[in-house]
Amino acid sequence: MADRYLEISLVKRGVTGTARLLDDRAPITCEAVWKSLPLSGDVYHAKYARNEVYALFPPFADREPPLENPTVTPIPGDLCYFTFSGAELGTTSYGYDREVRPGTTVVDLALFYERNNLLLNGDVGWVPGIVWGQVVEGLDALADACNDLWRTGAAGETLSFRRA
């Protein structure tokens, strides 16, 4: 299979990078994401994981992917896939401004843009993510925009994924 690429953007800030899908390491997750593109949603900046921005989506896979190519220590440029139940996210302390109820499922697509990340949540413990992509172009510009998002706020910003 030929390499597949996608663009990841912070739309309001006008910053785009290119990521390669890791089909060899996370084939089920890559296929689920690829089939669902384009995806776009309100961006959030992580509180606990450190250097992470993400968007939340309703489930889009026929079946949720297994935990393939897992990590709890993502590196700069990693794209990670998480699935959460509404009960796990049903608190305003995580900054979610939409109604998430027990019994619902939420998919979190995340970009890690700097070093020293640790997927440890004070409420639930370790939260392994599926590494399904790696930014290969534009990471420095994305990191600058993510740092700006952290400092000035995420309101009105969108994280977008689309085929390159």
Side-chain angles (χ1 to χ4, degrees):
M1 174 185 280
D3 286 342
R4 296 189 285 183
Y5 294 87
L6 61 85
E7 290 183 348
I8 181 168
S9 303
L10 288 168
V11 177
K12 182 178 170 183
R13 286 168 171 78
V15 178
T16 299
T18 302
R20 182 177 62 84
L21 273 66
L22 301 177
D23 285 300
D24 58 330
R25 296 182 182 173
I28 297 168
T29 306
C30 288
E31 188 62 19
V33 173
W34 188 255
K35 284 181 175 179
S36 70
L37 295 176
L39 291 166
S40 187
D42 292 341
V43 69
Y44 297 90
H45 196 289
K47 285 181 169 183
Y48 300 108
R50 193 157 177 194
N51 302 300
E52 172 195 6
V53 296
Y54 59 93
L56 303 174
F57 304 97
F60 49 77
D62 295 333
R63 288 187 340 227
E64 284 306 307
L67 189 59
E68 51 185 2
N69 199 31
T71 190
V72 293
T73 56
I75 62 173
D78 277 353
L79 299 179
C80 289
Y81 180 108
F82 303 91
T83 302
F84 297 104
S85 73
E88 291 172 297
L89 298 181
T91 174
T92 58
S93 68
Y94 292 106
Y96 304 115
D97 59 357
R98 61 197 224 183
E99 188 175 329
V100 180
R101 295 176 306 284
T104 60
T105 300
V106 175
V107 173
D108 171 331
L109 295 183
L111 162 65
F112 290 85
Y113 62 89
E114 270 295 341
R115 297 174 38 133
N116 301 322
N117 303 295
L118 187 61
L119 301 178
L120 181 60
N121 179 294
D123 293 334
V124 298
W126 295 105
V127 183
I130 300 168
V131 182
W132 59 274
Q134 180 67 43
V135 175
V136 294
E137 286 181 22
L139 183 58
D140 289 343
L142 283 167
D144 288 345
C146 291
N147 276 311
D148 179 65
L149 187 133
W150 172 252
R151 296 189 66 195
T152 63
E157 182 61 90
T158 303
L159 184 62
S160 174
F161 302 85
R162 67 179 185 178
R163 293 180 185 185

